[in-house]
Amino acid sequence: MLSNRPALRRPALTVCAAALVGTALFPAATAASAVPRPGQPAKTPQQPEEPRPPENMSTIGGDRLAQAGTQVDLTSGVPPLPKTTARAWIVSDAETGEVLASHNAHWPLAPASTLKMLFADTLITKFPRNQSHTVTPQDMAGIGDGSSMVGIKENLPYTVQDLWRGVFLRSGNDAVHVLSAMNGGVDKTVREMQERARDLQANDTHVLSPDGYDMPGQVSSAYDLSLFARAGLQNADFREYCSTASAQFPGDFKKGSKERESFGIQNTDRLLSGIDGVKPYPGLAGVKNGFTTNAGNTFTGVADHDGVKLLVTVMHPAPGDNEVYKETTALLDWGFQAAGKVKPVGTLVAPKNAQPTAGRTEAPKGSTSASAAATPGSSGGGVAMAAGITVGALVVLGGVTMVVRKRWPLPKRHDES
Protein backbone atom coordinates (compact mmCIF):
# COMPACT_ATOMS: atom_id res chain seq x y z
CA MET A 1 0.00 0.00 0.00
CA LEU A 2 1.32 3.43 -0.90
CA SER A 3 2.03 5.79 1.95
CA ASN A 4 0.82 9.39 2.00
CA ARG A 5 3.95 10.39 3.86
CA PRO A 6 6.29 12.58 1.76
CA ALA A 7 9.45 10.90 0.58
CA LEU A 8 12.68 11.77 2.31
CA ARG A 9 14.86 14.16 0.31
CA ARG A 10 17.85 12.05 -0.61
CA PRO A 11 20.29 14.91 -1.38
CA ALA A 12 19.82 16.28 2.14
CA LEU A 13 20.53 12.85 3.59
CA THR A 14 23.66 12.52 1.47
CA VAL A 15 25.00 15.83 2.71
CA CYS A 16 24.25 14.97 6.33
CA ALA A 17 25.86 11.56 5.98
CA ALA A 18 28.97 13.11 4.47
CA ALA A 19 29.17 15.57 7.34
CA LEU A 20 28.93 12.74 9.87
CA VAL A 21 31.68 10.51 8.56
CA GLY A 22 33.14 8.65 11.51
CA THR A 23 29.87 8.70 13.49
CA ALA A 24 28.67 5.20 14.32
CA LEU A 25 24.97 5.88 14.13
CA PHE A 26 22.93 8.06 11.75
CA PRO A 27 19.55 8.47 13.46
CA ALA A 28 16.82 8.31 10.83
CA ALA A 29 14.44 10.11 13.20
CA THR A 30 16.53 13.26 12.91
CA ALA A 31 16.26 13.30 9.12
CA ALA A 32 12.59 12.36 9.19
CA SER A 33 11.78 15.13 11.64
CA ALA A 34 12.89 17.66 9.02
CA VAL A 35 10.14 16.40 6.69
CA PRO A 36 6.75 18.09 7.23
CA ARG A 37 3.82 15.90 8.23
CA PRO A 38 0.83 15.72 5.90
CA GLY A 39 -1.06 19.01 5.99
CA GLN A 40 1.82 20.98 7.54
CA PRO A 41 3.56 23.72 5.48
CA ALA A 42 7.18 23.12 4.65
CA LYS A 43 9.64 25.22 6.64
CA THR A 44 11.76 27.67 4.67
CA PRO A 45 15.45 26.96 5.30
CA GLN A 46 17.17 29.81 7.12
CA GLN A 47 19.60 31.83 5.02
CA PRO A 48 23.00 32.51 6.60
CA GLU A 49 23.10 35.97 8.08
CA GLU A 50 24.87 38.51 5.90
CA PRO A 51 28.10 39.74 7.54
CA ARG A 52 27.93 43.23 8.98
CA PRO A 53 30.69 45.82 9.36
CA PRO A 54 32.07 46.32 12.86
CA GLU A 55 30.43 49.00 14.99
CA ASN A 56 33.70 50.79 15.70
CA MET A 57 35.81 51.35 12.60
CA SER A 58 38.91 53.46 12.06
CA THR A 59 38.62 57.25 11.89
CA ILE A 60 41.76 57.64 9.80
CA GLY A 61 40.91 59.93 6.93
CA GLY A 62 37.92 61.43 8.72
CA ASP A 63 35.08 60.62 11.10
CA ARG A 64 32.63 60.01 8.27
CA LEU A 65 34.72 57.11 7.01
CA ALA A 66 34.37 55.36 10.37
CA GLN A 67 30.62 55.12 9.93
CA ALA A 68 28.91 52.05 8.50
CA GLY A 69 26.92 52.37 5.31
CA THR A 70 27.17 54.81 2.41
CA GLN A 71 28.78 58.19 3.01
CA VAL A 72 28.19 60.91 0.42
CA ASP A 73 27.22 64.59 0.37
CA LEU A 74 25.36 65.13 -2.87
CA THR A 75 25.06 68.65 -4.20
CA SER A 76 23.08 70.21 -7.02
CA GLY A 77 23.93 68.72 -10.39
CA VAL A 78 25.46 65.54 -8.96
CA PRO A 79 23.66 62.32 -9.97
CA PRO A 80 22.66 59.76 -7.33
CA LEU A 81 25.07 56.96 -6.59
CA PRO A 82 24.63 53.75 -8.61
CA LYS A 83 23.16 50.70 -6.93
CA THR A 84 25.87 48.35 -5.69
CA THR A 85 26.07 45.03 -3.87
CA ALA A 86 29.68 45.27 -2.65
CA ARG A 87 30.31 44.99 1.08
CA ALA A 88 32.70 47.93 0.83
CA TRP A 89 33.83 50.49 -1.76
CA ILE A 90 35.43 53.90 -2.00
CA VAL A 91 35.77 56.57 -4.72
CA SER A 92 38.61 59.07 -4.29
CA ASP A 93 40.69 61.59 -6.20
CA ALA A 94 44.05 59.94 -6.86
CA GLU A 95 45.95 63.23 -6.72
CA THR A 96 44.31 65.26 -3.96
CA GLY A 97 43.27 62.26 -1.88
CA GLU A 98 39.75 63.61 -1.42
CA VAL A 99 37.18 60.85 -0.86
CA LEU A 100 34.11 61.62 -2.98
CA ALA A 101 31.98 58.80 -1.55
CA SER A 102 32.39 55.55 0.34
CA HIS A 103 30.57 52.53 1.69
CA ASN A 104 32.04 50.79 4.77
CA ALA A 105 35.44 52.18 3.81
CA HIS A 106 37.28 50.83 6.88
CA TRP A 107 35.65 47.37 7.06
CA PRO A 108 38.49 44.80 7.34
CA LEU A 109 37.80 42.11 4.72
CA ALA A 110 39.81 39.42 2.96
CA PRO A 111 41.76 41.28 0.22
CA ALA A 112 42.74 38.48 -2.20
CA SER A 113 45.38 39.51 -4.76
CA THR A 114 44.79 43.23 -4.34
CA LEU A 115 47.20 42.78 -1.41
CA LYS A 116 49.90 42.41 -4.08
CA MET A 117 49.80 46.22 -4.37
CA LEU A 118 51.27 46.40 -0.86
CA PHE A 119 53.75 43.69 -1.83
CA ALA A 120 54.89 45.87 -4.73
CA ASP A 121 54.96 49.02 -2.57
CA THR A 122 57.32 47.17 -0.24
CA LEU A 123 59.71 45.49 -2.71
CA ILE A 124 59.60 47.27 -6.06
CA THR A 125 62.52 49.62 -5.36
CA LYS A 126 64.78 46.88 -3.97
CA PHE A 127 65.96 45.21 -7.18
CA PRO A 128 67.04 46.67 -10.55
CA ARG A 129 64.73 45.80 -13.45
CA ASN A 130 67.44 43.94 -15.38
CA GLN A 131 68.78 41.92 -12.43
CA SER A 132 68.57 38.21 -13.25
CA HIS A 133 67.71 35.43 -10.82
CA THR A 134 67.78 31.69 -11.42
CA VAL A 135 64.82 30.07 -9.69
CA THR A 136 65.50 27.27 -7.19
CA PRO A 137 63.03 24.69 -5.84
CA GLN A 138 63.22 26.46 -2.46
CA ASP A 139 62.00 29.69 -4.07
CA MET A 140 58.75 27.99 -5.06
CA ALA A 141 58.07 26.28 -1.72
CA GLY A 142 54.89 27.07 0.16
CA ILE A 143 52.73 28.26 -2.73
CA GLY A 144 49.10 27.67 -1.82
CA ASP A 145 46.97 25.07 -3.60
CA GLY A 146 44.95 26.52 -6.46
CA SER A 147 47.10 29.65 -6.68
CA SER A 148 47.18 31.72 -9.84
CA MET A 149 50.52 31.21 -11.61
CA VAL A 150 52.34 32.90 -14.45
CA GLY A 151 54.32 29.76 -15.33
CA ILE A 152 57.76 30.15 -13.76
CA LYS A 153 59.97 27.06 -13.93
CA GLU A 154 62.72 25.96 -11.62
CA ASN A 155 66.37 26.21 -12.71
CA LEU A 156 65.61 28.90 -15.29
CA PRO A 157 66.70 32.56 -15.06
CA TYR A 158 64.22 35.46 -15.00
CA THR A 159 64.78 39.18 -14.81
CA VAL A 160 63.15 41.27 -12.11
CA GLN A 161 61.11 42.89 -14.88
CA ASP A 162 59.82 39.45 -15.91
CA LEU A 163 58.84 38.67 -12.34
CA TRP A 164 56.94 41.93 -11.81
CA ARG A 165 55.04 41.38 -15.04
CA GLY A 166 54.12 37.97 -13.67
CA VAL A 167 52.85 39.60 -10.47
CA PHE A 168 50.80 42.35 -12.10
CA LEU A 169 49.55 40.75 -15.31
CA ARG A 170 48.85 37.17 -14.22
CA SER A 171 48.67 37.73 -10.47
CA GLY A 172 51.28 34.98 -10.28
CA ASN A 173 51.87 33.68 -6.78
CA ASP A 174 54.92 31.90 -8.18
CA ALA A 175 56.42 35.29 -9.13
CA VAL A 176 55.56 36.65 -5.68
CA HIS A 177 57.34 33.78 -3.97
CA VAL A 178 60.45 34.13 -6.12
CA LEU A 179 60.69 37.86 -5.37
CA SER A 180 60.09 37.11 -1.68
CA ALA A 181 62.94 34.58 -1.77
CA MET A 182 65.20 37.23 -3.30
CA ASN A 183 64.17 39.50 -0.43
CA GLY A 184 65.22 37.00 2.23
CA GLY A 185 62.11 34.82 2.43
CA VAL A 186 58.35 34.96 2.91
CA ASP A 187 58.46 35.64 6.66
CA LYS A 188 60.78 38.63 6.24
CA THR A 189 58.70 39.94 3.37
CA VAL A 190 55.47 39.67 5.37
CA ARG A 191 57.05 41.60 8.27
CA GLU A 192 58.23 44.32 5.91
CA MET A 193 54.80 44.52 4.26
CA GLN A 194 53.19 44.99 7.67
CA GLU A 195 55.69 47.73 8.49
CA ARG A 196 54.97 49.41 5.17
CA ALA A 197 51.23 49.23 5.83
CA ARG A 198 51.72 50.95 9.19
CA ASP A 199 53.82 53.69 7.58
CA LEU A 200 51.04 54.24 5.04
CA GLN A 201 48.57 54.45 7.97
CA ALA A 202 46.77 51.40 6.59
CA ASN A 203 45.81 50.22 10.05
CA ASP A 204 42.95 47.98 8.90
CA THR A 205 45.47 45.68 7.22
CA HIS A 206 46.89 42.49 8.75
CA VAL A 207 49.37 40.67 6.51
CA LEU A 208 49.95 36.92 6.75
CA SER A 209 50.90 36.03 3.16
CA PRO A 210 52.71 38.15 0.56
CA ASP A 211 50.37 37.15 -2.28
CA GLY A 212 46.92 37.63 -0.72
CA TYR A 213 46.21 33.89 -0.53
CA ASP A 214 43.35 33.17 1.88
CA MET A 215 44.57 32.85 5.46
CA PRO A 216 42.46 33.23 8.62
CA GLY A 217 42.91 36.74 9.96
CA GLN A 218 44.43 38.25 6.82
CA VAL A 219 42.42 41.39 6.08
CA SER A 220 42.54 44.82 4.52
CA SER A 221 39.92 47.47 3.70
CA ALA A 222 38.74 49.48 0.71
CA TYR A 223 40.40 52.51 2.30
CA ASP A 224 43.75 50.74 2.81
CA LEU A 225 43.79 49.23 -0.68
CA SER A 226 43.34 52.73 -2.07
CA LEU A 227 46.30 53.90 0.03
CA PHE A 228 48.42 51.08 -1.41
CA ALA A 229 47.45 51.97 -4.96
CA ARG A 230 48.05 55.68 -4.48
CA ALA A 231 51.47 55.08 -2.94
CA GLY A 232 52.47 52.61 -5.65
CA LEU A 233 51.40 54.91 -8.46
CA GLN A 234 54.07 57.38 -7.42
CA ASN A 235 56.67 54.86 -8.63
CA ALA A 236 57.32 54.76 -12.40
CA ASP A 237 57.94 51.00 -12.49
CA PHE A 238 54.74 50.32 -10.55
CA ARG A 239 52.79 52.51 -12.99
CA GLU A 240 54.27 50.71 -15.97
CA TYR A 241 53.62 47.18 -14.74
CA CYS A 242 50.09 47.77 -13.47
CA SER A 243 49.05 49.47 -16.72
CA THR A 244 50.45 46.81 -19.06
CA ALA A 245 47.64 44.94 -20.82
CA SER A 246 49.75 42.21 -22.45
CA ALA A 247 53.39 41.11 -22.69
CA GLN A 248 55.68 38.23 -23.62
CA PHE A 249 56.94 35.99 -20.84
CA PRO A 250 60.07 33.80 -21.09
CA GLY A 251 59.65 30.05 -21.42
CA ASP A 252 62.11 27.17 -21.87
CA PHE A 253 65.26 27.33 -23.91
CA LYS A 254 64.92 25.73 -27.30
CA LYS A 255 66.44 22.26 -27.42
CA GLY A 256 70.11 22.42 -28.32
CA SER A 257 70.01 26.21 -28.52
CA LYS A 258 70.73 29.25 -26.37
CA GLU A 259 67.64 30.89 -27.80
CA ARG A 260 64.72 31.06 -25.44
CA GLU A 261 61.05 30.61 -26.26
CA SER A 262 58.36 32.96 -24.95
CA PHE A 263 54.60 32.99 -24.58
CA GLY A 264 52.04 35.74 -24.41
CA ILE A 265 50.34 36.77 -21.17
CA GLN A 266 47.36 39.08 -20.71
CA ASN A 267 46.43 41.14 -17.70
CA THR A 268 43.69 39.49 -15.65
CA ASP A 269 42.28 42.98 -14.99
CA ARG A 270 39.42 42.80 -17.47
CA LEU A 271 38.74 46.54 -17.44
CA LEU A 272 42.29 46.98 -18.71
CA SER A 273 42.76 44.05 -21.10
CA GLY A 274 39.17 43.65 -22.28
CA ILE A 275 39.15 39.86 -21.93
CA ASP A 276 36.19 37.60 -21.18
CA GLY A 277 33.61 39.89 -22.71
CA VAL A 278 34.40 42.96 -20.58
CA LYS A 279 34.77 46.25 -22.43
CA PRO A 280 37.98 48.10 -21.46
CA TYR A 281 37.25 51.19 -19.41
CA PRO A 282 38.40 54.40 -21.19
CA GLY A 283 41.45 55.94 -19.54
CA LEU A 284 42.01 53.05 -17.12
CA ALA A 285 45.66 52.75 -16.03
CA GLY A 286 45.60 49.70 -13.69
CA VAL A 287 45.91 48.77 -10.84
CA LYS A 288 45.00 45.29 -9.43
CA ASN A 289 42.20 42.73 -9.27
CA GLY A 290 41.80 39.66 -7.13
CA PHE A 291 39.62 36.69 -6.25
CA THR A 292 39.64 34.04 -3.54
CA THR A 293 36.95 31.96 -1.87
CA ASN A 294 36.91 34.11 1.28
CA ALA A 295 37.35 37.48 -0.40
CA GLY A 296 35.09 37.00 -3.36
CA ASN A 297 36.11 39.53 -6.01
CA THR A 298 38.22 42.54 -5.07
CA PHE A 299 39.39 45.34 -7.34
CA THR A 300 41.22 48.64 -7.26
CA GLY A 301 41.37 50.71 -10.44
CA VAL A 302 42.64 54.14 -11.45
CA ALA A 303 41.41 56.06 -14.47
CA ASP A 304 42.04 59.47 -16.05
CA HIS A 305 39.41 61.56 -17.83
CA ASP A 306 40.58 64.98 -19.01
CA GLY A 307 43.12 65.29 -16.22
CA VAL A 308 40.82 64.08 -13.45
CA LYS A 309 42.32 60.92 -11.95
CA LEU A 310 40.07 58.74 -9.82
CA LEU A 311 40.72 55.69 -7.67
CA VAL A 312 37.94 53.19 -7.06
CA THR A 313 38.18 50.15 -4.79
CA VAL A 314 35.39 47.54 -4.65
CA MET A 315 35.38 44.59 -2.23
CA HIS A 316 33.19 41.50 -2.24
CA PRO A 317 30.20 42.31 -4.47
CA ALA A 318 27.46 39.74 -4.96
CA PRO A 319 28.55 36.70 -6.98
CA GLY A 320 27.96 37.14 -10.67
CA ASP A 321 29.68 37.23 -13.99
CA ASN A 322 31.96 40.28 -13.98
CA GLU A 323 29.96 41.95 -11.20
CA VAL A 324 33.04 43.59 -9.68
CA TYR A 325 33.86 45.20 -13.03
CA LYS A 326 30.29 46.36 -13.55
CA GLU A 327 30.17 48.03 -10.15
CA THR A 328 33.61 49.57 -10.61
CA THR A 329 32.55 50.98 -13.97
CA ALA A 330 29.38 52.45 -12.47
CA LEU A 331 31.30 54.06 -9.60
CA LEU A 332 33.94 55.49 -11.95
CA ASP A 333 31.24 56.91 -14.21
CA TRP A 334 29.57 58.50 -11.19
CA GLY A 335 32.89 59.82 -9.87
CA PHE A 336 33.79 61.60 -13.08
CA GLN A 337 30.39 63.30 -13.07
CA ALA A 338 30.72 64.21 -9.39
CA ALA A 339 34.37 65.34 -9.32
CA GLY A 340 34.67 69.01 -8.49
CA LYS A 341 30.99 69.21 -7.51
CA VAL A 342 30.46 66.85 -4.62
CA LYS A 343 31.59 67.73 -1.10
CA PRO A 344 34.29 65.24 0.04
CA VAL A 345 33.53 62.97 3.00
CA GLY A 346 37.14 62.21 3.92
CA THR A 347 40.67 62.02 2.63
CA LEU A 348 43.36 59.47 1.81
CA VAL A 349 46.06 60.35 4.32
CA ALA A 350 49.76 60.66 3.60
CA PRO A 351 52.35 58.18 4.89
CA LYS A 352 53.73 58.78 8.37
CA ASN A 353 57.16 59.46 6.92
CA ALA A 354 55.64 62.40 5.02
CA GLN A 355 54.16 64.00 8.13
CA PRO A 356 55.66 67.25 9.49
CA THR A 357 58.10 66.94 12.38
CA ALA A 358 57.33 68.33 15.82
CA GLY A 359 58.07 72.00 16.23
CA ARG A 360 57.86 72.84 12.55
CA THR A 361 55.62 75.85 12.10
CA GLU A 362 56.05 76.83 8.48
CA ALA A 363 56.99 75.32 5.17
CA PRO A 364 59.90 76.52 3.03
CA LYS A 365 59.15 79.15 0.44
CA GLY A 366 57.76 77.69 -2.76
CA SER A 367 56.31 74.63 -1.03
CA THR A 368 52.84 73.89 0.27
CA SER A 369 52.27 73.84 4.00
CA ALA A 370 51.43 70.46 5.48
CA SER A 371 49.65 71.93 8.48
CA ALA A 372 46.24 71.15 6.98
CA ALA A 373 47.02 67.47 6.56
CA ALA A 374 44.56 65.05 8.09
CA THR A 375 45.83 63.17 11.10
CA PRO A 376 44.61 59.89 12.53
CA GLY A 377 41.30 60.34 14.28
CA SER A 378 40.54 63.77 12.81
CA SER A 379 37.91 64.55 10.24
CA GLY A 380 39.53 67.70 8.91
CA GLY A 381 36.22 68.41 7.20
CA GLY A 382 37.27 65.90 4.57
CA VAL A 383 38.81 68.62 2.45
CA ALA A 384 42.49 68.53 3.41
CA MET A 385 44.75 67.26 0.67
CA ALA A 386 46.97 64.36 1.62
CA ALA A 387 49.87 65.99 3.47
CA GLY A 388 49.07 69.29 1.77
CA ILE A 389 50.62 68.07 -1.46
CA THR A 390 50.01 70.21 -4.53
CA VAL A 391 50.24 68.36 -7.85
CA GLY A 392 53.45 69.14 -9.69
CA ALA A 393 55.08 70.68 -6.61
CA LEU A 394 58.18 69.54 -4.77
CA VAL A 395 57.16 69.32 -1.13
CA VAL A 396 59.52 68.96 1.81
CA LEU A 397 57.83 67.43 4.85
CA GLY A 398 59.82 66.72 7.97
CA GLY A 399 63.03 66.31 5.99
CA VAL A 400 61.42 63.88 3.52
CA THR A 401 61.27 64.96 -0.11
CA MET A 402 58.26 63.79 -2.07
CA VAL A 403 57.75 64.48 -5.76
CA VAL A 404 54.22 64.33 -7.07
CA ARG A 405 54.43 64.42 -10.84
CA LYS A 406 52.01 66.31 -13.02
CA ARG A 407 51.15 63.16 -14.95
CA TRP A 408 50.79 60.93 -11.91
CA PRO A 409 49.40 58.34 -12.16
CA LEU A 410 50.10 57.17 -15.68
CA PRO A 411 47.22 58.37 -17.85
CA LYS A 412 47.29 55.59 -20.40
CA ARG A 413 47.92 51.89 -20.41
CA HIS A 414 50.81 50.01 -21.99
CA ASP A 415 50.24 47.24 -24.49
CA GLU A 416 53.33 45.20 -25.26
CA SER A 417 53.64 42.39 -27.74
Side-chain angles (χ1 to χ4, degrees), residues 244-316:
T244 299
S246 62
Q248 289 296 118
F249 196 81
D252 285 317
F253 287 97
K254 294 181 179 179
K255 192 172 183 179
S257 171
K258 294 183 178 180
E259 187 178 352
R260 195 166 183 179
E261 296 177 339
S262 66
F263 55 92
I265 56 174
Q266 283 186 304
N267 202 311
T268 56
D269 175 354
R270 299 175 190 179
L271 287 183
L272 181 68
S273 58
I275 60 175
D276 296 332
V278 176
K279 184 179 179 181
Y281 191 84
L284 194 89
V287 261
K288 193 71 190 74
N289 61 308
F291 175 82
T292 63
T293 302
N294 288 345
N297 285 288
T298 58
F299 184 81
T300 297
V302 64
D304 179 355
H305 283 185
D306 299 323
V308 176
K309 300 176 179 68
L310 295 184
L311 272 170
V312 169
T313 295
V314 175
M315 300 187 76
H316 207 127

Side-chain angles (χ1 to χ4, degrees), residues 334-353:
W334 176 87
F336 284 117
Q337 294 179 70
K341 301 174 186 176
V342 73
K343 181 181 177 182
V345 295
T347 187
L348 300 179
V349 296
K352 287 181 180 178
N353 67 19

Side-chain angles (χ1 to χ4, degrees), residues 108-123 176 180 185-200 202-221 224-225 228:
L109 297 165
S113 286
T114 46
L115 194 65
K116 290 182 171 79
M117 294 187 293
L118 176 61
F119 175 76
D121 284 343
T122 306
L123 266 65
V176 169
S180 296
V186 166
D187 290 344
K188 178 174 181 285
T189 299
V190 166
R191 287 195 303 271
E192 291 181 356
M193 288 172 65
Q194 191 66 68
E195 291 169 4
R196 176 62 171 157
R198 292 294 172 261
D199 178 60
L200 292 172
N203 294 344
D204 303 322
T205 298
H206 184 53
V207 185
L208 293 171
S209 69
D211 47 27
Y213 191 82
D214 276 341
M215 297 188 75
Q218 178 159 268
V219 292
S220 189
S221 66
D224 286 7
L225 294 177
F228 302 153

Side-chain angles (χ1 to χ4, degrees), residues 110-159:
S113 286
T114 46
L115 194 65
K116 290 182 171 79
M117 294 187 293
L118 176 61
F119 175 76
D121 284 343
T122 306
L123 266 65
I124 205 162
T125 61
K126 289 196 173 191
F127 310 108
R129 292 163 61 98
N130 295 326
Q131 178 178 335
S132 182
H133 175 79
T134 298
V135 175
T136 69
Q138 291 75 22
D139 295 347
M140 306 279 276
I143 299 175
D145 294 339
S147 288
S148 53
M149 311 278 267
V150 66
I152 290 172
K153 294 189 176 182
E154 298 171 4
N155 304 316
L156 289 178
Y158 296 87
T159 66

